[in-house]
């Protein structure tokens, strides 16, 4: 007995096989991305909570916090390096191999941070080694995102790339939730235990997650789009140069599309910890619960926004997200300054989705769709990671400096508005890519 054909001519058995394969690809990519973001993000929480005390103890509190955030920003500076390296080889060798390598690099760097001696034990070598391992983390995550999203969207049905790509983006809030929940549990320890050994556990436990992620990713197959490039022997010799020299406008557009949402999420998840606990005198656990709630909320809103971008287009989602970000910049600090626990928690959670989620959800499809298959890994990765370095990694440090300079958060609001205007301009310059046939691009 044969399977009845479906409306598009495929048998039911074939459809089921395709759906099963797609689900396996999506969840392998998502799981790996969760692990990598967990590894990268626990550093930010630790920088806000303990690194100023353990690795920069000779400075006054503000300078120590700035130094801890500067070491945090180093990981973002390294992300374009990772994007360039893994983008080059991802466009020449393939997506799958790079995904395995980025996970090993990220996992090794994270685990070693958990073993680092502190300043009291080895002096100046402690912050030097901390920065070196943060660089390693940045290189790993810089190559991770491009490979993970391409593995999914180059396999996905044409009309569902926004939705399937957004599922990979869920790895970020899942990593935020996992890292924040881990530190929430550890803050229940006596302060002296948390400072002496408790903070190390999230870094050391990552080795287990890396093992699981590698096991799943090794079962993936190469994407059809890249396989076709290999088959026709049209692999780019120098994909990075092709992107920068031949598509400078597209490349700059990709950077501009990223700068607003990435600044918002790190202001809300890293700087907000210092601002709420130091300036506003709120409990550390309260702000961690707010971040955790925001991350959990994005587990649902990111796929929603990705699905919406398949229905109405990528550009409308970005235009709306940038406009909402301008409004949120005007209200976020007055809401936090109420010091009302309910208002603080809900404000951070909702604003995270409105400013970050509306653009981050569709981004997994939008940025790669701007580039052809031959240079897609390089173009999407480098554009994304340069923006992350410019406005993501430095956002907590810039916000801290602006607050110290003005004694009030209004310059931070202006900074966030300026970034939203850049993203708005980039969106207007970008073409709509929802209906693009990326297999032929």
């Amino acid at each position: 007995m044969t399977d009845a054909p479906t409306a598009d001519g495929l048998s039911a058995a074939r459809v089921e096989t395709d759906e099963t394969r797609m689900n396996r690809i999506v969840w392998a990519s998502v799981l790996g991305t969760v692990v990598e973001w967990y590894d990268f993000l626990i550093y930010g929480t630790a920088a806000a909570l303990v690194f100023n005390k353990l690795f920069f103890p000779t400075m006054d509190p503000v300078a120590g916090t700035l130094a801890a955030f500067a070491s945090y920003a180093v990981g973002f500076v390294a992300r374009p390096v990772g994007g360039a390296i893994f983008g080059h080889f991802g466009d020449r060798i393939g997506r799958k191999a790079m995904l395995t390598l980025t996970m090993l690099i990220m996992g090794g760097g994270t685990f070693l941070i958990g073993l680092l001696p502190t300043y009291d034990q080895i002096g100046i070598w402690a912050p030097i080694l901390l920065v070196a391992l943060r660089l390693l983390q940045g290189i790993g995550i810089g190559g991770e995102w491009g490979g993970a999203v391409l593995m999914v969207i180059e396999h996905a049905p044409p009309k569902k790339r926004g939705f399937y790509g957004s599922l990979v983006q869920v790895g970020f809030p899942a990593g935020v939730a996992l890292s924040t929940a881990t530190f929430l549990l550890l803050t229940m320890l006596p302060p002296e235990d948390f400072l002496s050994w408790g903070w190390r556990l999230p870094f050391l436990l990552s080795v287990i997650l890396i093992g699981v992620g590698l096991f799943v990713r090794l079962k993936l197959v190469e994407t059809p789009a890249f396989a076709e490039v290999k088959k026709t022997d049209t692999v780019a010799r120098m994909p990075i140069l092709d992107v920068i020299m031949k598509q400078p406008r597209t490349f700059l557009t990709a950077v501009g599309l990223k700068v607003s949402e990435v600044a918002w999420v790190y202001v809300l998840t890293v700087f907000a910890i210092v601002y709420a606990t130091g300036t506003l005198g709120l409990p550390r656990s309260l702000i961690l619960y707010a971040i955790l709630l925001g991350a959990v909320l994005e587990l649902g809103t990111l796929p929603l926004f990705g699905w919406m971008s398949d229905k109405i287009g990528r550009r409308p989602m970005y235009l709306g997200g940038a406009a909402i970000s301008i409004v949120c910049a005007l209200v976020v600090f007055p809401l936090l300054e109420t010091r009302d626990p309910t208002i603080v928690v809900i404000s951070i959670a909702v604003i995270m989705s409105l400013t970050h989620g509306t653009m981050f959800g569709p981004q997994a499809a939008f940025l790669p769709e701007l580039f052809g298959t031959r240079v897609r890994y390089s173009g999407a990765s480098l554009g994304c990671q340069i923006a992350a370095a410019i406005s993501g990694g430095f956002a907590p440090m810039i916000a801290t400096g602006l607050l110290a300079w003005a004694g009030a958060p209004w310059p931070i609001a202006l900074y966030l508005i300026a970034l939203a205007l850049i993203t708005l301009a980039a969106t207007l310059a970008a073409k709509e890519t929802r209906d693009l046939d990326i297999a032929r691009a």
Side-chain angles (χ1 to χ4, degrees):
M1 181 177 177
T2 59
D3 294 304
T6 59
D8 61 0
L10 297 176
S11 70
R14 170 69 182 280
V15 171
E16 182 179 1
T17 300
D18 287 348
E19 289 180 354
T20 301
R21 177 174 55 83
M22 193 67 224
N23 288 337
R24 183 173 67 252
I25 291 166
V26 168
W27 292 116
S29 297
V30 171
L31 178 60
T33 306
V34 170
V35 173
E36 297 244 23
W37 278 119
Y38 166 82
D39 282 357
F40 193 72
L41 293 167
I42 53 175
Y43 190 104
T45 307
L49 294 177
V50 298
F51 281 173
N52 59 331
K53 302 180 183 73
L54 298 178
F55 292 92
F56 308 96
T58 60
M59 301 178 177
D60 67 71
V62 173
T65 299
L66 281 170
F69 281 161
S71 73
Y72 173 73
V74 162
F76 285 82
V77 174
R79 282 173 65 170
V81 177
I85 293 172
F86 291 103
H88 173 84
F89 289 105
D91 281 327
R92 288 191 56 80
I93 298 174
R95 295 26 171 153
K96 176 184 174 180
M98 297 305 104
L99 282 177
T100 302
L101 190 54
T102 58
M103 181 164 282
L104 287 172
I105 291 173
M106 173 64 79
T110 303
F111 182 75
L112 290 174
I113 288 174
L115 298 176
L116 271 183
T118 64
Y119 188 93
D120 288 341
Q121 294 170 311
I122 60 171
I124 191 64
W125 283 105
I128 290 174
L129 291 173
L130 180 68
V131 169
L133 291 174
R134 182 59 175 173
L135 280 169
L136 197 62
Q137 278 193 320
I139 290 172
I141 200 69
E144 156 69 20
W145 179 82
V149 298
L150 292 194
M151 183 63 69
V152 170
I153 72 163
E154 289 184 348
H155 274 104
K159 299 296 184 182
K160 296 183 178 180
R161 289 196 301 265
F163 171 70
Y164 278 115
S166 69
L167 295 180
V168 180
Q169 304 293 69
V170 165
F172 178 83
V176 171
L178 187 58
S179 61
T180 305
T182 302
F183 272 101
L184 264 173
L185 290 174
L186 291 172
T187 55
M188 297 178 184
L189 291 170
E192 60 274 14
D193 289 341
F194 179 69
L195 281 175
S196 64
W197 57 266
W199 69 270
R200 298 181 183 274
L201 293 181
F203 294 91
L204 298 177
L205 290 174
S206 71
V207 72
I208 300 173
L209 300 176
I210 293 295
V212 175
L214 279 174
F215 175 76
V216 174
R217 280 196 169 174
L218 287 172
K219 296 184 176 184
L220 293 175
V221 296
E222 193 52 79
T223 71
F226 182 76
E228 182 62 24
V229 168
K230 291 283 284 186
K231 180 181 177 181
T232 57
D233 197 25
T234 54
V235 174
R237 292 185 66 250
M238 295 296 292
I240 292 290
L241 290 181
D242 283 356
V243 167
I244 295 174
M245 302 300 293
K246 297 180 181 179
Q247 303 180 58
R249 175 172 173 163
T250 304
F251 171 68
L252 291 175
T253 297
V255 174
L257 290 171
K258 178 74 177 175
V259 293
S260 179
E261 56 84 6
V262 73
W264 265 105
V265 76
Y266 290 113
V267 166
L268 291 174
T269 61
V270 179
F271 168 74
I273 298 175
V274 173
Y275 178 69
T277 57
T279 303
L280 301 181
L282 296 171
R284 182 172 55 187
S285 58
L286 176 70
I287 198 69
L288 289 177
Y289 278 122
I291 294 169
L292 180 60
L293 178 61
V296 171
L297 184 61
E298 279 202 339
L299 296 179
T301 57
L302 287 179
L304 172 64
F305 295 140
W307 174 82
M308 288 175 64
S309 78
D310 284 329
K311 302 301 180 183
I312 66 173
R314 320 296 188 216
R315 294 177 79 245
M317 295 301 300
Y318 264 75
L319 291 171
I324 292 171
S325 294
I326 293 172
V327 175
C328 287
L330 298 173
V331 302
V332 60
F333 291 106
L335 288 170
L336 296 181
E337 287 169 355
T338 65
R339 292 180 171 83
D340 182 283
T342 302
I343 293 176
V344 168
V345 170
I346 293 176
S347 296
I348 287 179
V350 172
I351 289 174
M352 190 185 301
S353 276
L354 293 177
T355 59
H356 174 250
T358 50
M359 294 178 277
F360 191 64
Q363 187 178 102
F366 198 11
L367 263 62
E369 288 168 346
L370 295 174
F371 301 93
T373 303
R374 296 174 65 252
V375 298
R376 186 170 291 137
Y377 201 142
S378 297
S381 286
L382 195 59
C384 174
Q385 303 310 335
I386 284 180
I390 292 171
S391 64
F394 288 102
M397 189 168 60
I398 290 171
T400 302
L402 290 173
L403 182 66
W405 168 71
W410 61 264
I412 306 172
L414 294 180
Y415 166 64
L416 292 170
I417 290 172
L419 293 176
L421 291 173
I422 292 173
T423 293
L424 194 64
T427 305
L428 293 172
K431 61 183 179 181
E432 179 56 65
T433 59
R434 177 187 60 169
D435 298 320
L436 183 69
D437 183 358
I438 64 170
R440 297 183 180 181

PDB file of all heavy atoms in Angstrom, residues 323-345:
ATOM      1  N   ALA A 323      11.032  51.568  17.247  1.00  0.00           N
ATOM      2  CA  ALA A 323      10.159  52.628  17.763  1.00  0.00           C
ATOM      3  C   ALA A 323       9.807  52.385  19.227  1.00  0.00           C
ATOM      4  O   ALA A 323       9.833  53.310  20.058  1.00  0.00           O
ATOM      5  CB  ALA A 323       8.887  52.708  16.912  1.00  0.00           C
ATOM      6  N   ILE A 324       9.482  51.142  19.556  1.00  0.00           N
ATOM      7  CA  ILE A 324       9.158  50.804  20.950  1.00  0.00           C
ATOM      8  C   ILE A 324      10.367  51.031  21.852  1.00  0.00           C
ATOM      9  O   ILE A 324      10.241  51.465  23.001  1.00  0.00           O
ATOM     10  CB  ILE A 324       8.671  49.341  21.040  1.00  0.00           C
ATOM     11  CG1 ILE A 324       7.307  49.203  20.351  1.00  0.00           C
ATOM     12  CG2 ILE A 324       8.589  48.881  22.481  1.00  0.00           C
ATOM     13  CD1 ILE A 324       6.851  47.770  20.201  1.00  0.00           C
ATOM     14  N   SER A 325      11.563  50.757  21.332  1.00  0.00           N
ATOM     15  CA  SER A 325      12.780  50.936  22.125  1.00  0.00           C
ATOM     16  C   SER A 325      12.975  52.388  22.533  1.00  0.00           C
ATOM     17  O   SER A 325      13.454  52.674  23.639  1.00  0.00           O
ATOM     18  CB  SER A 325      13.999  50.449  21.332  1.00  0.00           C
ATOM     19  OG  SER A 325      13.935  49.053  21.114  1.00  0.00           O
ATOM     20  N   ILE A 326      12.617  53.308  21.655  1.00  0.00           N
ATOM     21  CA  ILE A 326      12.732  54.729  21.987  1.00  0.00           C
ATOM     22  C   ILE A 326      11.808  55.092  23.142  1.00  0.00           C
ATOM     23  O   ILE A 326      12.198  55.788  24.089  1.00  0.00           O
ATOM     24  CB  ILE A 326      12.418  55.581  20.738  1.00  0.00           C
ATOM     25  CG1 ILE A 326      13.506  55.372  19.682  1.00  0.00           C
ATOM     26  CG2 ILE A 326      12.293  57.056  21.109  1.00  0.00           C
ATOM     27  CD1 ILE A 326      13.196  56.023  18.349  1.00  0.00           C
ATOM     28  N   VAL A 327      10.591  54.580  23.090  1.00  0.00           N
ATOM     29  CA  VAL A 327       9.631  54.833  24.173  1.00  0.00           C
ATOM     30  C   VAL A 327      10.119  54.218  25.481  1.00  0.00           C
ATOM     31  O   VAL A 327      10.082  54.857  26.549  1.00  0.00           O
ATOM     32  CB  VAL A 327       8.242  54.287  23.797  1.00  0.00           C
ATOM     33  CG1 VAL A 327       7.273  54.448  24.965  1.00  0.00           C
ATOM     34  CG2 VAL A 327       7.706  54.985  22.553  1.00  0.00           C
ATOM     35  N   CYS A 328      10.594  52.985  25.406  1.00  0.00           N
ATOM     36  CA  CYS A 328      11.040  52.287  26.618  1.00  0.00           C
ATOM     37  C   CYS A 328      12.243  52.977  27.260  1.00  0.00           C
ATOM     38  O   CYS A 328      12.393  52.970  28.496  1.00  0.00           O
ATOM     39  CB  CYS A 328      11.388  50.841  26.292  1.00  0.00           C
ATOM     40  SG  CYS A 328       9.949  49.791  25.969  1.00  0.00           S
ATOM     41  N   ALA A 329      13.114  53.574  26.444  1.00  0.00           N
ATOM     42  CA  ALA A 329      14.272  54.287  26.993  1.00  0.00           C
ATOM     43  C   ALA A 329      13.834  55.444  27.879  1.00  0.00           C
ATOM     44  O   ALA A 329      14.530  55.808  28.839  1.00  0.00           O
ATOM     45  CB  ALA A 329      15.158  54.795  25.852  1.00  0.00           C
ATOM     46  N   LEU A 330      12.685  56.029  27.576  1.00  0.00           N
ATOM     47  CA  LEU A 330      12.184  57.166  28.349  1.00  0.00           C
ATOM     48  C   LEU A 330      11.533  56.750  29.663  1.00  0.00           C
ATOM     49  O   LEU A 330      11.464  57.556  30.596  1.00  0.00           O
ATOM     50  CB  LEU A 330      11.178  57.961  27.505  1.00  0.00           C
ATOM     51  CG  LEU A 330      11.718  58.585  26.213  1.00  0.00           C
ATOM     52  CD1 LEU A 330      10.580  59.194  25.403  1.00  0.00           C
ATOM     53  CD2 LEU A 330      12.783  59.634  26.526  1.00  0.00           C
ATOM     54  N   VAL A 331      11.072  55.506  29.735  1.00  0.00           N
ATOM     55  CA  VAL A 331      10.299  55.094  30.919  1.00  0.00           C
ATOM     56  C   VAL A 331      11.002  54.078  31.806  1.00  0.00           C
ATOM     57  O   VAL A 331      10.613  53.909  32.970  1.00  0.00           O
ATOM     58  CB  VAL A 331       8.918  54.528  30.498  1.00  0.00           C
ATOM     59  CG1 VAL A 331       8.134  55.559  29.702  1.00  0.00           C
ATOM     60  CG2 VAL A 331       9.057  53.234  29.719  1.00  0.00           C
ATOM     61  N   VAL A 332      12.033  53.392  31.307  1.00  0.00           N
ATOM     62  CA  VAL A 332      12.584  52.276  32.062  1.00  0.00           C
ATOM     63  C   VAL A 332      13.175  52.715  33.404  1.00  0.00           C
ATOM     64  O   VAL A 332      12.914  52.079  34.445  1.00  0.00           O
ATOM     65  CB  VAL A 332      13.636  51.501  31.228  1.00  0.00           C
ATOM     66  CG1 VAL A 332      14.803  52.383  30.812  1.00  0.00           C
ATOM     67  CG2 VAL A 332      14.133  50.276  32.006  1.00  0.00           C
ATOM     68  N   PHE A 333      13.941  53.808  33.434  1.00  0.00           N
ATOM     69  CA  PHE A 333      14.570  54.207  34.695  1.00  0.00           C
ATOM     70  C   PHE A 333      13.581  54.821  35.684  1.00  0.00           C
ATOM     71  O   PHE A 333      13.669  54.537  36.888  1.00  0.00           O
ATOM     72  CB  PHE A 333      15.757  55.129  34.422  1.00  0.00           C
ATOM     73  CG  PHE A 333      16.902  54.411  33.764  1.00  0.00           C
ATOM     74  CD1 PHE A 333      17.184  54.607  32.421  1.00  0.00           C
ATOM     75  CD2 PHE A 333      17.673  53.504  34.477  1.00  0.00           C
ATOM     76  CE1 PHE A 333      18.224  53.925  31.798  1.00  0.00           C
ATOM     77  CE2 PHE A 333      18.716  52.814  33.870  1.00  0.00           C
ATOM     78  CZ  PHE A 333      18.989  53.022  32.522  1.00  0.00           C
ATOM     79  N   PRO A 334      12.619  55.636  35.238  1.00  0.00           N
ATOM     80  CA  PRO A 334      11.578  56.054  36.192  1.00  0.00           C
ATOM     81  C   PRO A 334      10.829  54.873  36.807  1.00  0.00           C
ATOM     82  O   PRO A 334      10.468  54.910  37.994  1.00  0.00           O
ATOM     83  CB  PRO A 334      10.649  56.921  35.333  1.00  0.00           C
ATOM     84  CG  PRO A 334      11.543  57.490  34.278  1.00  0.00           C
ATOM     85  CD  PRO A 334      12.513  56.392  33.971  1.00  0.00           C
ATOM     86  N   LEU A 335      10.589  53.840  36.038  1.00  0.00           N
ATOM     87  CA  LEU A 335       9.918  52.662  36.579  1.00  0.00           C
ATOM     88  C   LEU A 335      10.789  51.962  37.625  1.00  0.00           C
ATOM     89  O   LEU A 335      10.289  51.554  38.688  1.00  0.00           O
ATOM     90  CB  LEU A 335       9.577  51.687  35.449  1.00  0.00           C
ATOM     91  CG  LEU A 335       8.438  52.107  34.519  1.00  0.00           C
ATOM     92  CD1 LEU A 335       8.351  51.185  33.311  1.00  0.00           C
ATOM     93  CD2 LEU A 335       7.104  52.128  35.268  1.00  0.00           C
ATOM     94  N   LEU A 336      12.080  51.833  37.347  1.00  0.00           N
ATOM     95  CA  LEU A 336      12.977  51.200  38.317  1.00  0.00           C
ATOM     96  C   LEU A 336      13.105  52.045  39.579  1.00  0.00           C
ATOM     97  O   LEU A 336      13.222  51.510  40.692  1.00  0.00           O
ATOM     98  CB  LEU A 336      14.354  50.972  37.700  1.00  0.00           C
ATOM     99  CG  LEU A 336      14.437  50.005  36.516  1.00  0.00           C
ATOM    100  CD1 LEU A 336      15.879  49.875  36.024  1.00  0.00           C
ATOM    101  CD2 LEU A 336      13.901  48.627  36.900  1.00  0.00           C
ATOM    102  N   GLU A 337      13.079  53.365  39.408  1.00  0.00           N
ATOM    103  CA  GLU A 337      13.259  54.263  40.555  1.00  0.00           C
ATOM    104  C   GLU A 337      12.064  54.280  41.502  1.00  0.00           C
ATOM    105  O   GLU A 337      12.158  54.845  42.600  1.00  0.00           O
ATOM    106  CB  GLU A 337      13.559  55.675  40.052  1.00  0.00           C
ATOM    107  CG  GLU A 337      14.961  55.795  39.476  1.00  0.00           C
ATOM    108  CD  GLU A 337      15.181  57.103  38.745  1.00  0.00           C
ATOM    109  OE1 GLU A 337      14.213  57.884  38.598  1.00  0.00           O
ATOM    110  OE2 GLU A 337      16.330  57.345  38.307  1.00  0.00           O
ATOM    111  N   THR A 338      10.967  53.661  41.119  1.00  0.00           N
ATOM    112  CA  THR A 338       9.854  53.518  42.072  1.00  0.00           C
ATOM    113  C   THR A 338      10.248  52.622  43.234  1.00  0.00           C
ATOM    114  O   THR A 338       9.662  52.699  44.309  1.00  0.00           O
ATOM    115  CB  THR A 338       8.617  52.919  41.373  1.00  0.00           C
ATOM    116  OG1 THR A 338       8.909  51.576  40.953  1.00  0.00           O
ATOM    117  CG2 THR A 338       8.178  53.768  40.194  1.00  0.00           C
ATOM    118  N   ARG A 339      11.218  51.727  42.986  1.00  0.00           N
ATOM    119  CA  ARG A 339      11.701  50.763  43.981  1.00  0.00           C
ATOM    120  C   ARG A 339      10.605  49.803  44.441  1.00  0.00           C
ATOM    121  O   ARG A 339      10.802  49.049  45.403  1.00  0.00           O
ATOM    122  CB  ARG A 339      12.308  51.482  45.196  1.00  0.00           C
ATOM    123  CG  ARG A 339      13.598  52.230  44.904  1.00  0.00           C
ATOM    124  CD  ARG A 339      14.125  52.915  46.168  1.00  0.00           C
ATOM    125  NE  ARG A 339      15.454  53.467  45.978  1.00  0.00           N
ATOM    126  CZ  ARG A 339      15.734  54.649  45.430  1.00  0.00           C
ATOM    127  NH1 ARG A 339      14.716  55.403  44.991  1.00  0.00           N
ATOM    128  NH2 ARG A 339      16.960  55.079  45.314  1.00  0.00           N
ATOM    129  N   ASP A 340       9.482  49.853  43.772  1.00  0.00           N
ATOM    130  CA  ASP A 340       8.409  48.911  44.076  1.00  0.00           C
ATOM    131  C   ASP A 340       8.768  47.560  43.476  1.00  0.00           C
ATOM    132  O   ASP A 340       8.967  47.455  42.257  1.00  0.00           O
ATOM    133  CB  ASP A 340       7.093  49.413  43.484  1.00  0.00           C
ATOM    134  CG  ASP A 340       5.930  48.489  43.808  1.00  0.00           C
ATOM    135  OD1 ASP A 340       5.820  47.428  43.158  1.00  0.00           O
ATOM    136  OD2 ASP A 340       5.149  48.833  44.703  1.00  0.00           O
ATOM    137  N   PRO A 341       8.896  46.494  44.285  1.00  0.00           N
ATOM    138  CA  PRO A 341       9.363  45.198  43.764  1.00  0.00           C
ATOM    139  C   PRO A 341       8.549  44.688  42.586  1.00  0.00           C
ATOM    140  O   PRO A 341       9.124  44.191  41.605  1.00  0.00           O
ATOM    141  CB  PRO A 341       9.229  44.272  44.979  1.00  0.00           C
ATOM    142  CG  PRO A 341       9.346  45.176  46.163  1.00  0.00           C
ATOM    143  CD  PRO A 341       8.689  46.453  45.759  1.00  0.00           C
ATOM    144  N   THR A 342       7.234  44.816  42.652  1.00  0.00           N
ATOM    145  CA  THR A 342       6.400  44.321  41.554  1.00  0.00           C
ATOM    146  C   THR A 342       6.644  45.097  40.274  1.00  0.00           C
ATOM    147  O   THR A 342       6.796  44.521  39.188  1.00  0.00           O
ATOM    148  CB  THR A 342       4.910  44.406  41.936  1.00  0.00           C
ATOM    149  OG1 THR A 342       4.685  43.654  43.135  1.00  0.00           O
ATOM    150  CG2 THR A 342       4.047  43.839  40.819  1.00  0.00           C
ATOM    151  N   ILE A 343       6.692  46.419  40.394  1.00  0.00           N
ATOM    152  CA  ILE A 343       6.917  47.264  39.214  1.00  0.00           C
ATOM    153  C   ILE A 343       8.293  46.993  38.606  1.00  0.00           C
ATOM    154  O   ILE A 343       8.448  46.894  37.383  1.00  0.00           O
ATOM    155  CB  ILE A 343       6.766  48.753  39.580  1.00  0.00           C
ATOM    156  CG1 ILE A 343       5.313  49.054  39.936  1.00  0.00           C
ATOM    157  CG2 ILE A 343       7.237  49.642  38.430  1.00  0.00           C
ATOM    158  CD1 ILE A 343       5.078  50.479  40.408  1.00  0.00           C
ATOM    159  N   VAL A 344       9.302  46.842  39.466  1.00  0.00           N
ATOM    160  CA  VAL A 344      10.664  46.598  38.980  1.00  0.00           C
ATOM    161  C   VAL A 344      10.740  45.284  38.213  1.00  0.00           C
ATOM    162  O   VAL A 344      11.279  45.219  37.098  1.00  0.00           O
ATOM    163  CB  VAL A 344      11.662  46.602  40.161  1.00  0.00           C
ATOM    164  CG1 VAL A 344      13.028  46.066  39.717  1.00  0.00           C
ATOM    165  CG2 VAL A 344      11.806  48.007  40.728  1.00  0.00           C
ATOM    166  N   VAL A 345      10.202  44.233  38.788  1.00  0.00           N
ATOM    167  CA  VAL A 345      10.280  42.910  38.157  1.00  0.00           C
ATOM    168  C   VAL A 345       9.520  42.892  36.836  1.00  0.00           C
ATOM    169  O   VAL A 345      10.044  42.429  35.806  1.00  0.00           O
ATOM    170  CB  VAL A 345       9.735  41.827  39.114  1.00  0.00           C
ATOM    171  CG1 VAL A 345       9.577  40.496  38.379  1.00  0.00           C
ATOM    172  CG2 VAL A 345      10.668  41.658  40.313  1.00  0.00           C
TER     173      VAL A 345
END
